[in-house]
Amino acid sequence: MSYPEFLEYPEPRYHGHRGEVNAAFRPASTPPDISSPGGGATHYLATNESTGGEFGLYKVELGARAAGAKTHFHKAMSESFYILSGELELYNGERWVTGRAGDFLYVPVGGLHAFKNVTDEPMSMLLLFSPGAPREEYFERVAEMSQRGGEELKRFRIRHDSYFVEDFEPEGE
């Protein structure tokens, strides 16, 4: 494969000459940041705050038959799914596909997507949001807000750049 002589990289953002000691290590043994009934858990691997807004990376574990998220899109960030174990039904905006260990789905800004675990087995995945966003409150409160429903849930979703199709459908459809 040949490569062009001049490659276009982003503009430098670090202007030092010797580098810095600034890496962050998170051992695999770190307990999840959120645990939920039914075998679900979310691990905050790299947050908006810890990456300076570069990206957010989360390990999400869903229990058997977990509902996941209905069809929605984001106006400010892309979302990527990397399946670590088990199976996950992923809606790519056009159709449902079955994601298995090693499968990857990238959803650009504005792309419709959804996911759910329809199997009797748990699954785990990495979720990557780019650029980073303060998703922690969303993960921590979405179950509570879903129980409240109505306009309060819709405002909560919009506050977290999550535009669910069901929130904007005319009543009766």
Side-chain angles (χ1 to χ4, degrees):
M1 176 175 214
S2 66
Y3 297 96
E5 184 176 341
F6 299 101
L7 299 176
E8 290 188 35
Y9 274 76
E11 288 295 316
R13 293 179 295 155
Y14 175 75
H15 299 287
H17 298 290
R18 298 191 186 271
E20 296 178 11
V21 177
N22 59 5
F25 177 71
R26 187 180 190 281
S29 60
T30 304
D33 295 280
I34 304 171
S35 294
S36 59
T42 302
H43 303 258
Y44 299 167
L45 303 178
T47 64
N48 171 65
E49 184 178 350
S50 70
T51 67
E54 299 270 339
F55 65 93
L57 180 64
Y58 305 87
K59 179 182 176 190
V60 176
E61 299 164 351
L62 294 178
R65 303 275 170 199
K70 294 180 180 177
T71 304
H72 65 286
F73 63 94
H74 307 288
K75 292 184 177 185
M77 60 192 174
S78 65
E79 185 172 1
S80 296
F81 299 79
Y82 181 79
I83 309 302
L84 296 170
S85 66
E87 291 184 4
L88 184 69
E89 293 300 304
L90 296 156
Y91 182 64
N92 66 11
E94 196 170 51
R95 64 186 175 92
W96 288 94
V97 295
T98 301
R100 295 178 179 87
D103 288 343
F104 176 77
L105 175 69
Y106 167 65
V107 183
V109 174
L112 292 169
H113 61 288
F115 62 92
K116 60 187 173 183
N117 182 358
V118 299
T119 73
D120 292 326
E121 299 296 324
M123 65 80 55
S124 66
M125 65 179 156
L126 294 176
L127 285 182
L128 175 71
F129 296 95
S130 180
R135 296 298 284 171
E136 297 76 34
E137 180 191 21
Y138 184 82
F139 292 133
E140 292 168 13
R141 298 191 61 209
V142 67
E144 166 200 343
M145 298 306 288
S146 293
Q147 288 180 341
R148 292 183 187 184
E151 283 299 312
E152 192 173 4
L153 174 59
K154 182 178 176 181
R155 283 191 305 274
F156 174 78
R157 288 171 166 173
I158 291 171
R159 170 180 158 86
H160 290 286
D161 189 34
S162 295
Y163 296 84
F164 280 73
V165 171
E166 68 184 13
D167 289 339
F168 301 98
E169 291 178 340
E171 289 192 32
E173 285 188 21

